[in-house]
Amino acid sequence: MDKIYSHKETEDRIYKFWEEKGFFKPEVNPKGKPYSIILPPPNANAPLHFGHAMYVIEDILIRYRRMKGDSALWLPGADHAGFETQFVFEKNLQKTGKSRFDYDRDTLYKMIWDFVQSNRPIMENQLKKLGFSLDWSRKKFTLDPDIISIVYKTFKKLHDDGLVYRGYRLVNYCTFDGTSFSDLEVIHKEKESSLYFVKYFFEKGGGNISVATTRPETIIADVAVAVNPKDKRYKDLKGKNVINPITNERLPIIFDSSVDMEFGTGALKITPGHDPKDFEIAQRNNLKGESLIGFDGKIKEGKYKGLYAKQAREKVAEDLEKEGLIEKIEKIIHQAPVCYKCQNIIEPLLMEQWFVKMEPLAKPAMEALKKGEIKISPKRLEKVLSDFLENIRDWNISRQIVWGIRIPAFKNKKTGGWVVTEGEAPTGGDWEQDTDTFDTWFSSSQWPFATLQTTKPDDFERFYPTDVMETGYDILRWWVARMIMMGLYKTGKIPFRDVVLHGMVNDPKGLKMSKSKGNVVDPLEIVNEYGADALRFALIFGTGLGNDQAASLPKFQNARNFANKLWNMARFIEMNRIQNSKLKIQNSPKNKVDKDIINKVQNLVKDVTKDLDNYNFNFAAEKVYEFAWHEFADKYIEDVKKRIDSNSYAVLESSYLAILKLLHPFMPFITEEIYQKLNLGESIMVEKWPSAK
RNA sequence: GGGCUCAUAGCUCAGUUGGUUAGAGCGUUACAUUGACAUUGUAAAGGUCAGAGGUUCGACUCCUCUUGGGCCCACCA
């Protein structure tokens, strides 16, 4: 053995060895208790980022359970990541001077397909570099025909059960990305705007009421002015009308208790075509409105036609000012809805979309949570989940992009009626398929059962519900919540028993990594520099489950040093090896130090096993680290090196073997390499997890 | 506006159900080392555990408040 451990000469070779031996398949323990984890499928198109490296937690669990004798399955996959991928693709397209509108649907889809297929191996190889013991013979892609078929069936079932409807609603539309989004894709950003106080004159009797708005350009689309019924200032306005300051149309004054009396003048212009709250108030009052702004972000008609909303705002304000219709202008800081991807303002627009009625789906999910059928670790995040489920709103699943699963809904060209199928076109009549695709999360929400139902016969029966769903807490609502709902809906069973959530990995200074800030650390560079084992160990060591951490170099260095320390313990053992000794540990060694170390190993095994069972990964890692380095190496080896004999050697080797096994889930490569170098057996992967008396 | 979370050594953070001298890594200082390992060892310096109350025989750990960060949710137009 060399003086220094070389991960570069070891890791790829070991991974290949494992794969060839078939050790990643649950079939290595055919009689074991089934244990399963579905890997959150990374975006097929993009390289892994540091968040993906946190899936090491899943590998730790899988390797631990496999060594315990379970029939452990860790199922890999890739996500087509609809909008995300099309966004990246379009960015690339832009560089060549083209846009998506230069191609027809099929061509564009084919182009993105090829783009994704050529990038997909990158991500998969990176998962291998990290040492993940995934069963590659079962890998799935969200656009596999059998997966698509399941997604179709789910949609049809939801539709037949009245849980999917086509609604003409105000949706979150990004005019820059050209698609609508669900509420989760909309984020709020603090913005300073002007609050215009506009005079609306009464139709009769003179006088005016002042209405505060940040969006004067939408005045044209006003359908009413609303005040709070409790507002004493406006008591006498019942039955009165005002005149639209731009169009001079008559607008009724309505009373709605959701109007905030404290804000502005307490009078709110109602523009159902552009504001969600207005839309709701209008619905309650049987008023209908229209969107004045088109999908291109420009005013569709009238005097301001062709102007972008922002330009129109200034022009309208100017015109109103000229006519003396603006009472005053104030500065206001408010939370503006923006697109999570491009950060541009979301324009609420009225359009027809497919919605999933969520309340009936959320109820069983909440019950499963309350009954403890599904447990969340760390516990505090359960509240985030239950709050989301309790306040759930209908889910817009239509996306105006081509990259994804096209919605199997067909419109009759004559009648305009819709038919939902399991993918096939309806016969008879003239039908046109919806051009929209599903929100990516609609297919991912079905991932646990969709994968297991399409891998190998009996996989679903054997491995569903899965044992653990491990992912970042940032997609708790986007993904985990929806998986629970869809799993319960489609299979009648929870999709997983335990939800284990890891924190975010930030840059070395603790700031969020982002491409625009240019502070992204590539996990594969760390693997290259320090080894996958070091990366894995560092990510677990010293960070409580669900807490964020900084990807700081000293941590990786320390973990690398620890790997080297382990390596040199093995060298010591190899150099002091006592051949032909029977390697039997006496039940009660005479030497007190030998006796102590045996007891300490026993306690360590107990502690680490318990910590793993409780998802206290950092405790487990810290304990083995502390023991291996500062107890076993610093004290025991120092003591035994002066007096080594066949009895003490047996204690030395067996204690070390226990450490190797406890460490294997965390640092799989080096523990395997040492195990083989010391001729302890074929592979540490098929060793049994140590047990403590 | 609501919720969650953090504030512990110079820096980055552990501290698991409250219990004797509060820990790790990095950094700093001194010494050692051709002998498993300098990707090492031994030792040392360094903390009023944000602040103020309270519960308790006992609190970094539980409760309340204050201050200062971070994150998430939310239709003040």
Side-chain angles (χ1 to χ4, degrees), chain A residues 183-189 336-341 343 346:
Chain A
D183 293 332
L184 287 181
E185 275 106 349
V186 177
I187 58 173
H188 295 268
K189 225 175 154 183
V338 300
C339 170
Y340 84 106
K341 193 71 189 169
Q343 308 285 311
I346 285 288

Side-chain angles (χ1 to χ4, degrees), chain A residues 94-112:
Chain A
Q94 267 174 26
K95 286 176 198 157
T96 67
K98 305 250 180 189
S99 91
R100 65 162 134 157
F101 302 108
D102 293 329
Y103 305 92
D104 64 65
R105 182 190 186 100
D106 290 344
T107 310
L108 190 60
Y109 186 91
K110 180 74 175 44
M111 284 164 73
I112 303 178

